[in-house]
Amino acid sequence: MSDSSTDYDVAILGGGFSGGLLAWVLSARGMRVLLVERDRFGRFAIGESSTPMADLVMRQLAERHGLPKLHALSTYPTWQRNFPELRRGMKRGFSYYHHGGVDSGEGVGREFHDECEASPSASRNSLLVTASPNETWADTHWLRSDVDAFFIEQAMDAGANCREHTEVVEAEMGRSVRMTLRERSAGDDDGTTRRVSARWIVNASGRFGVLPDSLMKSIGLRRVDDRLRTNTRSVFAHFRGVKSWTDELRRTNQLGADEPFDPDDAAQHHLTDEGWMWMLRLDHGVTSVGWTQPSGRDPVDWQRYPSLQRMMREAVFDDATPNWISVDRVQRMQLPVRSGNYIAMPTAVATIDPLHSTGIAHGLIGVARLADALLSESSRQSELLQRYAATVEQELMRIDSLVAMCYRCLRSMPRFEAVSMLYFAAAIGSEEFLVSGGDVHSPLWFCGVPEFERLIEQTNEQLDQNVTDAGLWEWLRPRLQSFQSAGLLDPGVRGRYRYTGEAKSSVRD
Ligand SMILES: Cc1cc2nc3c(=O)[nH]c(=O)nc-3n(C[C@H](O)[C@H](O)[C@H](O)COP(=O)(O)OP(=O)(O)OC[C@H]3O[C@@H](n4cnc5c(N)ncnc54)[C@H](O)[C@@H]3O)c2cc1C
């Protein structure tokens, strides 16, 4: 497509992974696509950890739209073999280690110790939930700058017009959307403007996106952050020289012979009474590190936790982030999801929290649904878009309620394990549904299941009544059974869950 075109089928605002991938899919299928990115392509982005659901949706998208390169990115080994230049890390599962709390008398916490003194009935201060049965099926931590830029490159090869340092400064909604673009180049502060139009405008501007006033006004876009129960703040950056957690466990004689995967090859969650730290190790020596805590209290100095401090002792900021990046409230939500020919990606509608890593999966699900809808004939299209708007909102509220419950239980590992299994049941249930041919347009995370909604409410009521940890397990365990066959919430496995979902579809080279 010529760069001087002025008329498009779809204009996408935002060149992160979700905007870039949608542009790639739609242009590969013959649509005229314009993508504008206000920053540069391949800028630093947070949110690296994919999940089995994310990789499954990526495979299905690739198969549906004939994109073998995308298929190759859906497991760690095929990614590494086919695209060694795209930096990444291996993820075999989710791991959680509880470092306790800080004794206010001493002001210093204890080193991590796996014995769980609080609850003899439950297991230990660690929890490992396996995501893939072996390395062949491993998921991936994405170095977002590489992946996001790769998707843009593929979109351009497929014919999309992708423009960085460009913003929509005015938009007028009608049968089509008429927009004024401003494009900045070096040494040109005002930039040049030009007029274009598109049948659809897709908001893929993510957590930090800001839309032009005229567009916000005409679609009635409003912030509804208060609807979200989760309320956390976060600081994060990329580091070099973060020590290996596996080595740390070995050094302290706490690396069990029964570990289902190498603890370093995971989305590591280091929980404390006050907040938690994620660590995602990438193969080129960089680790994504972030501290997240409930917003209601002053920023916590995580260095009071000796094991965390030891891991970070020799770490230095990577060039990509010369300092910590801080977000006062991580959660943001804006509605509507859709208005006329405006549609927002799930990741532009809301950001919930890094806990449980739902952003990439939800972004990919959004791409799959919108690609289908925009490529459909008109009556099917309006039905799909109507469903899309309702479903995305429901799913975001569901993820929020599952995450918020985990924060309520941060102070106790057995309690955290119990309620996090509601999330894992919903995620595994969705994965099994999709693997068995379920429709990606259907509500996921058990959103269409009122009994599950009720179970969440009742679990919250148990927490309101200060149920004991053992009481919570006893109460929740039988009730969770009808929503899972993955052996979740089993005291017998002592925090080591090895189930990895249904057999996955074949992986191509
Ligand atoms: C602290 C934190 C940790 C997270 N950790 C995880 C995780 O481990 N796993 C996970 O799955 N998810 C995680 N997430 C969520 C994840 O970051 C997002 O889901 C993901 O980045 C969304 O990708 P995106 O492409 O939709 O948006 P983004 O990556 O935000 O990209 C949006 C792009 O749009 C551009 N833009 C903004 N406004 C405009 C405009 N008006 N016009 C043009 N361009 C514009 C921006 O410059 C940006 O490049 C995390 C989020 C946070 C805040």
Side-chain angles (χ1 to χ4, degrees):
M1 184 184 307
S2 137
D3 279 6
S4 59
S5 303
T6 55
D7 195 18
Y8 297 90
D9 297 315
V10 183
I12 299 171
L13 310 188
F17 87 86
S18 71
L21 182 55
L22 183 67
W24 178 13
V25 174
L26 293 180
S27 47
R29 293 292 306 273
M31 289 188 103
R32 295 167 305 157
V33 178
L34 169 71
L35 179 147
V36 298
E37 163 58 51
R38 75 171 171 188
D39 200 328
R40 65 179 174 82
F41 294 140
R43 83 281 170 255
F44 171 82
I46 197 66
E48 300 93 346
S49 185
S50 83
T51 58
M53 208 201 305
D55 280 339
L56 171 64
V57 172
M58 195 141 87
R59 268 193 291 284
Q60 293 187 338
L61 247 176
E63 279 160 12
R64 187 164 179 76
H65 300 288
L67 303 172
K69 287 182 182 170
L70 184 64
H71 205 284
L73 291 179
S74 71
T75 67
Y76 174 86
T78 50
W79 175 322
Q80 193 187 32
R81 208 159 45 240
N82 290 279
F83 298 104
E85 71 283 9
L86 300 181
R87 290 165 291 179
R88 82 272 112 190
M90 185 190 288
K91 175 174 175 182
R92 290 286 320 282
F94 302 82
S95 61
Y96 305 83
Y97 299 90
H98 207 297
H99 296 248
V102 168
D103 174 342
S104 54
E106 293 174 28
V108 176
R110 285 173 62 177
E111 284 212 339
F112 172 75
H113 56 286
D114 203 10
E115 246 168 68
C116 188
E117 291 150 7
S119 168
S121 65
S123 49
R124 55 223 271 193
N125 274 324
S126 59
L127 165 67
L128 270 71
V129 183
T130 311
S132 48
N134 49 44
E135 291 192 2
T136 305
W137 288 104
D139 300 309
T140 313
H141 303 309
W142 305 4
L143 182 70
R144 286 285 308 279
S145 49
D146 282 7
V147 180
D148 294 8
F150 175 77
F151 286 169
I152 295 286
E153 210 179 282
Q154 298 309 308
M156 286 164 88
D157 283 355
N161 182 6
C162 300
R163 312 195 72 85
E164 56 187 342
H165 303 300
T166 302
E167 269 182 275
V168 173
V169 287
E170 248 183 71
E172 205 183 301
M173 309 290 280
R175 273 186 61 79
S176 62
V177 191
R178 286 198 290 281
M179 290 163 276
T180 306
L181 305 184
R182 181 180 295 139
E183 194 160 8
R184 282 170 288 111
S185 49
D188 172 14
D189 286 346
D190 293 338
T192 49
T193 58
R194 66 183 179 123
R195 303 270 295 166
V196 296
S197 66
R199 170 75 184 90
W200 297 100
I201 185 164
V202 175
N203 178 2
S205 67
R207 162 68 182 77
F208 304 99
V210 183
L211 299 186
D213 284 348
S214 53
L215 180 58
M216 285 172 60
K217 235 181 237 156
S218 53
I219 56 183
L221 196 72
R222 60 191 194 282
R223 289 281 289 270
V224 291
D225 306 358
D226 290 349
R227 285 181 57 186
L228 300 173
R229 291 189 216 177
T230 314
N231 192 341
T232 59
R233 60 168 66 179
S234 194
V235 289
F236 51 86
H238 277 188
F239 289 90
R240 289 185 174 273
V242 176
K243 287 210 171 102
S244 152
W245 179 242
T246 305
D247 286 351
E248 182 64 11
L249 290 172
R250 197 177 285 119
R251 183 187 71 81
T252 53
N253 294 322
Q254 299 184 95
L255 183 63
D258 62 342
E259 303 302 8
F261 49 85
D262 182 332
D264 274 348
D265 295 336
Q268 293 174 35
H269 301 69
H270 295 279
L271 310 180
T272 76
D273 285 3
E274 304 167 294
W276 65 282
M277 179 172 268
W278 79 73
M279 288 189 175
L280 310 173
R281 299 177 76 83
L282 303 169
D283 295 347
H284 63 296
V286 166
T287 302
S288 171
V289 178
W291 169 264
T292 306
Q293 63 169 91
S295 289
R297 56 172 71 185
D298 290 340
V300 170
D301 179 8
W302 53 264
Q303 303 213 38
R304 294 186 299 179
Y305 293 90
S307 301
L308 298 182
Q309 206 243 359
R310 176 185 281 276
M311 298 261 291
M312 294 295 289
R313 192 177 288 161
E314 285 154 29
V316 293
F317 286 106
D318 181 52
D319 290 346
T321 54
N323 222 319
W324 289 102
I325 298 169
S326 163
V327 184
D328 273 351
R329 186 176 181 196
V330 173
Q331 295 68 38
R332 183 179 96 149
M333 185 166 191
Q334 51 186 5
L335 292 173
V337 178
R338 186 205 165 192
S339 166
N341 34 15
Y342 164 90
I343 319 164
M345 280 288 171
T347 44
V349 178
T351 294
I352 307 299
D353 201 77
L355 194 68
H356 298 327
S357 306
T358 50
I360 291 182
H362 216 185
L364 289 166
I365 289 163
V367 172
R369 289 172 178 164
L370 287 185
D372 259 9
L374 296 176
L375 289 163
S376 295
E377 45 73 31
S378 74
S379 66
R380 168 105 176 122
Q381 184 172 74
S382 30
E383 184 220 322
L384 289 180
L385 288 178
Q386 209 172 345
R387 276 172 75 184
Y388 173 84
T391 305
V392 165
E393 191 177 335
Q394 247 185 323
E395 289 170 341
L396 286 163
M397 299 312 293
R398 166 57 44 83
I399 293 167
D400 173 54
S401 66
L402 291 169
V403 171
M405 200 188 287
C406 286
Y407 277 101
R408 291 190 73 181
C409 299
L410 204 54
R411 284 172 167 268
S412 149
M413 191 70 211
R415 219 170 175 75
F416 181 91
E417 179 173 341
V419 296
S420 69
M421 290 304 147
L422 282 161
Y423 166 76
F424 282 109
I428 292 171
S430 305
E431 196 194 338
E432 289 174 344
F433 170 76
L434 292 172
V435 163
S436 63
D439 183 1
V440 75
H441 298 279
S442 304
L444 299 173
W445 290 283
F446 289 150
C447 278
V449 183
E451 295 80 7
F452 192 73
E453 172 92 50
R454 183 82 199 110
L455 181 59
I456 294 175
E457 277 168 23
Q458 289 174 333
T459 309
N460 269 316
E461 283 161 19
Q462 292 291 312
L463 299 177
D464 291 342
Q465 290 160 19
N466 289 325
V467 62
T468 61
D469 292 355
L472 180 63
W473 273 67
E474 208 173 297
W475 183 87
L476 186 54
R477 199 165 171 243
R479 289 169 174 80
L480 193 64
Q481 295 318 308
S482 46
F483 302 102
Q484 59 112 9
S485 54
L488 301 175
L489 214 54
D490 177 358
V493 303
R494 302 196 67 241
R496 297 298 182 268
Y497 292 93
R498 291 161 201 279
Y499 180 85
T500 55
E502 293 289 290
K504 305 189 178 184
S505 54
S506 66
V507 176
R508 286 191 223 115
D509 270 350

